[in-house]
Amino acid sequence: MHNLNKSTIQCLIVDDEPLARDVIRLYIEKVPVLHLAGECGNAIDAMMFLHNEKVDLIFLDILMPHLTGTDFVKSLRNIPKVIFTTAYKEYALEGFELNVVDYLLKPIRFDRFLRAVSKAFSQKNEELANNIPVVLPPEKKSNSGFIYMKVERKMIKVMFDDIIYIESARDYLKVITQTNTIITRQTLSSFEAMLSDNEFIRIHRSYIVSLKKINSFTHDTVDVGVRELPLGKFYLNSFLKLQH
């Protein structure tokens, strides 16, 4: 059992998609008042986790194998704060009927994540709520126009305007620019957190593209000139919204 610190919020991530867990884990790490108590790939494992551990907040997917997120909430006696995380907005009404704190649509923006967490504890604990940042971290709003990337022992300056797309290759990233390809050891989710939402968009679990470099697209591909990249169904709605 955790020896809970009153100044921290113990969080549990429950989602069957590793990519979705990566994003929430990254966001939790960015907020000092949040602590990741654990993560589970399904609701059954989460149920067992809660038998042994105490958590304050659950980030819960809805559509999961064996037991849905909504049925999981219904099965709990002592329910922690719950924030639903899902790609399907049609489940929003059922979520709010279960008195969950908030309902986040994937792909989840960091500022939206912060608002949901702040909402969860604004009434319960004013001190905790005041320690939750209400704006994006400086690097997210950076107008510097460039980023430094570690390549072997050097820090290489890469201009945002030069980036065509970024590709995930396991623990490495390939950043394809107009002049060369840069390979660095970093996750796609952590790199995405440093990019401007107005200039880049994630189109697939393995790809982020520059909005300026898109030449054409269909409902399953994005042409950035040098390559035709896959457009994942998970990211389709968010991508289409930015094209209007």
Side-chain angles (χ1 to χ4, degrees):
M1 182 73 70
H2 282 295
N3 184 10
L4 293 178
N5 186 323
K6 292 182 179 180
S7 64
T8 60
I9 298 169
Q10 303 295 324
C11 303
L12 174 65
I13 304 170
V14 186
D15 200 307
D16 62 318
E17 293 189 17
L19 172 64
R21 295 199 302 271
D22 288 347
V23 171
I24 298 297
R25 186 190 315 115
L26 174 69
Y27 289 172
I28 288 173
E29 290 172 354
K30 285 179 173 288
V31 184
V33 75
L34 301 182
H35 176 264
L36 182 60
E39 55 182 273
C40 301
N42 59 71
I44 303 298
D45 288 347
M47 197 174 292
M48 298 302 296
F49 184 91
L50 292 175
H51 277 303
N52 301 308
E53 305 286 346
K54 178 177 174 58
V55 303
D56 304 302
L57 178 62
I58 303 177
F59 295 95
L60 180 63
D61 188 24
I62 292 180
L63 291 184
M64 293 183 290
H66 311 305
L67 186 67
T68 67
T70 51
D71 286 340
F72 171 64
V73 171
K74 292 174 184 176
S75 71
L76 297 177
R77 290 186 178 180
N78 299 314
I79 305 176
K81 299 282 187 180
V82 174
I83 295 174
F84 275 140
T85 59
T86 181
Y88 304 96
K89 61 183 178 182
E90 56 264 33
Y91 293 97
L93 179 60
E94 184 177 5
F96 285 119
E97 287 177 346
L98 291 172
N99 200 31
V100 300
V101 171
D102 212 336
Y103 185 96
L104 299 179
L105 279 175
K106 300 174 182 177
I108 299 167
R109 292 169 54 107
F110 185 56
D111 58 339
R112 185 68 183 84
F113 169 88
L114 288 177
R115 288 201 300 272
V117 174
S118 181
K119 181 180 177 182
F121 295 92
S122 60
Q123 296 178 346
K124 179 182 177 182
N125 190 320
E126 185 176 351
E127 180 184 353
L128 282 177
N130 288 338
N131 286 326
I132 299 169
V134 293
V135 295
L136 294 176
E139 69 268 24
K140 193 68 177 183
K141 282 191 171 182
S142 174
N143 294 316
S144 60
F146 62 86
I147 188 172
Y148 278 100
M149 297 176 57
K150 187 175 183 180
V151 179
E152 295 180 348
R153 296 184 179 181
K154 292 183 179 181
M155 296 299 291
I156 297 178
K157 184 177 184 178
V158 181
M159 303 303 295
F160 287 141
D161 282 343
D162 289 338
I163 298 175
I164 301 173
Y165 70 92
I166 303 104
E167 178 180 357
S168 173
R170 295 189 178 180
D171 294 330
Y172 292 86
L173 289 183
K174 291 197 295 183
V175 179
I176 289 77
T177 73
Q178 298 183 100
T179 56
N180 62 350
T181 296
I182 301 166
I183 298 176
T184 184
R185 189 177 180 86
Q186 191 173 349
T187 65
L188 194 62
S189 294
S190 62
F191 193 81
E192 180 183 20
M194 295 184 288
L195 297 173
S196 167
D197 294 326
N198 297 323
E199 297 182 58
F200 295 89
I201 185 170
R202 193 162 186 165
I203 61 168
H204 187 273
R205 65 185 303 166
S206 299
Y207 295 98
I208 295 172
V209 301
S210 167
L211 289 167
K212 296 177 182 178
K213 303 300 190 298
I214 296 174
N215 295 323
S216 61
F217 64 89
T218 68
H219 272 62
D220 52 22
T221 62
V222 175
D223 179 8
V224 289
V226 293
R227 273 193 65 182
E228 188 175 77
L229 304 174
L231 174 56
K233 293 180 180 179
F234 181 77
Y235 303 93
L236 178 60
N237 287 340
S238 295
F239 177 81
L240 293 176
K241 286 178 183 178
L242 286 179
Q243 309 311 312
H244 296 291

